[in-house]
Every structure is written in structure tokens, then in C-alpha cells.
Amino acid sequence: MHTVDPGTGTDADPDFDESAAEPSPPPPSRRLLVLCAVAGFVLGGSVLGLLWGLSGVHAGALDDAVAACQALDRVGELPDTSQDRQPALTPGLTSERLHRMMAARELSAAAAQVNANYQPLADHIDGVSRMVLSLHFNDISGQRHLAQAQEICARI
């Protein structure tokens, strides 16, 4: 009796033995393909990291330091009450002057974080900002920080 396999439409021989057919070759190994993909990923990531590292991340530090000095300059003249026996409590500090002082502090800290050469500027501007926020303008160390910060800004 002759039968047709309904799935393939070919003759199906009931006496057909699949084990008698030639064994198929093993599938090709994917190890080489996976190894090449991993190597490409590592190489590409290394190149991108190198390019990002050399892309001028440190160039922004100078811009931040200059902007910090400009913000400090725009705060205006702070009173030197170190010689007064009874200094005024709030000598004309407006909220915009306080915001500029905080901007100078944050910009100098950002510059110092990227480039350690700007750490002295950040330290001195931080000292000035602490003096301004506490409204103790007769603080001798705060006045010294202000003079040092202005000196550093003149050199930038």
C-alpha cells in the first residue's frame, strides 16, 4: 500500500527507517561568533571611553572659575567692618547679591572638582560665602578669604 504523508505531501514508506539515512553534520559552532561580538563590544567601549576622556572635560574648569570670579565681582563691595566696634547688622545685602555669592561658590567648587588647581579659589570663595551668609562682616578670616579670592581672580 502506498501512502502519502499529509504534512509534506511526499510518499511515506512505512518501512522507511530514519536511522539508515546518513547522519547530518553537527551544526557549526557559534563560539567564534560570540567571541568576535564580545571583542567588538570591548574594543568599541574602550575607544568611546578614550575619546570621551580626551574630549576636553577639563576645558570647562577654566570657564567655571572665570564665571565664579565674575559672580563674586557682581556681588559688589562687601563691608569691611573689622575696625568698627559695633558693625551694622545687615548692610544692604539683597537676595540677588546672596544668589550671586552662592553661584560663585558653586561655580568655583565645580571648577575645583574638575581641576585641582582651582581648589584654593574654591576654598577662599567658600570662606567668603560663609561670612556673607552669617552676616558677620567683621570676621577677619572672611575678609582675608575675600582678599585672597580677589587676588586669585585677578590672575585668572
Side-chain angles (χ1 to χ4, degrees):
M1 175 174 183
H2 190 284
T3 60
V4 176
D5 184 13
T8 60
T10 60
D11 292 339
D13 187 8
D15 297 333
F16 180 72
D17 185 16
E18 288 186 34
S19 62
E22 289 184 25
S24 62
S29 175
R30 293 189 179 185
R31 287 183 185 171
L32 182 61
L33 180 64
V34 171
L35 182 63
C36 288
V38 169
F41 181 75
V42 169
L43 182 63
S46 299
V47 168
L48 283 177
L50 181 64
L51 290 175
W52 179 67
L54 298 174
S55 68
V57 172
H58 300 292
L62 175 62
D63 294 334
D64 287 344
V66 169
C69 290
Q70 290 171 345
L72 181 64
D73 188 47
R74 291 178 60 201
V75 168
E77 190 69 30
L78 294 176
D80 182 3
T81 57
S82 59
Q83 302 301 321
D84 295 343
R85 295 196 187 269
Q86 294 184 354
L89 292 177
T90 55
L93 282 179
T94 61
S95 64
E96 60 188 42
R97 289 177 78 185
L98 290 173
H99 287 294
R100 287 185 182 127
M101 185 71 243
M102 293 301 98
R105 184 176 128 213
E106 293 301 319
L107 285 165
S108 65
Q113 188 174 12
V114 174
N115 188 339
N117 292 333
Y118 296 111
Q119 189 62 49
L121 175 66
D123 292 341
H124 291 302
I125 290 181
D126 182 55
V128 174
S129 72
R130 283 184 277 130
M131 177 185 70
V132 169
L133 288 177
S134 68
L135 298 175
H136 289 111
F137 296 102
N138 58 349
D139 183 19
I140 295 172
S141 69
Q143 291 294 331
R144 187 175 56 241
H145 283 300
L146 177 61
Q148 291 293 321
Q150 289 170 337
E151 182 181 315
I152 293 172
C153 285
R155 288 183 278 158
I156 292 179

